[in-house]
Amino acid sequence: MQLEKIISISGKPGLFKLVSQLRNGFIIEDVTSKKKISIGNSSQVSLLDNISMYTFEKEVPLFEVFENIAKANEYKETLSHKSSEGELKDFMSTALPNYDTERVYISDIKKLVQWYNILSKAGYVTPESF
């Protein structure tokens, strides 16, 4: 997936793309609005490329989970992150069948769904991107 520079920033909603590095921070671009802003080095940033989800056997990279979701939804958006707990668990069972139910919380599933839908709306989820 062409998402190596996509990040999440603690305290800021949405996802961002790293545009360039400054001496004291970064220039980032909101993936949906394309608005560019700068952030300082003190911001807590997580590269989506470094995030994994737990299964009972191993950790699966987030982009593999995104690929499973994309294929199951024909590369379109999926259910809302505001869906019921039961719907989210059913969704997760499809996206990552052997996910560790003890270590993957509902809040993690909501974040997964929210991020996938943001990337889908922004045009990052296509058959060519995987």
Side-chain angles (χ1 to χ4, degrees):
M1 195 171 200
Q2 305 277 350
L3 300 173
E4 294 83 26
K5 294 186 175 186
I6 302 296
I7 61 171
S8 170
I9 302 171
S10 183
K12 288 191 178 287
L15 294 174
F16 303 88
K17 184 176 182 177
L18 284 172
V19 176
S20 67
Q21 188 169 356
L22 304 170
R23 196 165 10 116
N24 59 349
F26 300 94
I27 295 177
I28 58 171
E29 177 182 85
D30 186 297
V31 296
T32 51
S33 71
K34 306 294 184 204
K35 182 179 174 186
K36 292 181 182 173
I37 58 171
S38 63
I39 59 168
N41 283 335
S42 61
S43 298
Q44 288 188 332
V45 172
S46 298
L47 276 165
L48 266 56
D49 206 25
N50 294 339
I51 298 174
S52 297
M53 298 203 78
Y54 296 109
T55 66
F56 289 111
E57 292 86 35
K58 61 180 181 171
E59 292 181 26
V60 177
L62 186 62
F63 294 134
E64 282 185 34
V65 181
F66 282 158
E67 184 176 11
N68 294 346
I69 297 168
K71 287 178 179 175
N73 289 285
E74 298 177 357
Y75 300 92
K76 296 181 175 80
E77 289 181 48
T78 189
L79 78 163
S80 169
H81 64 282
K82 295 180 180 178
S83 298
S84 72
E85 193 170 313
E87 289 174 311
L88 290 167
K89 285 182 179 180
D90 289 344
F91 163 83
M92 193 64 196
S93 295
T94 304
L96 192 61
N98 202 18
Y99 81 98
D100 189 335
T101 54
E102 296 290 317
R103 294 167 64 183
V104 177
Y105 303 107
I106 287 295
S107 59
D108 299 327
I109 300 170
K110 286 181 179 183
K111 187 68 71 177
L112 171 73
V113 169
Q114 187 176 28
W115 285 351
Y116 174 83
N117 285 333
I118 288 170
L119 292 171
S120 180
K121 283 179 190 169
Y124 284 91
V125 179
T126 64
E128 297 80 32
S129 63
F130 292 99

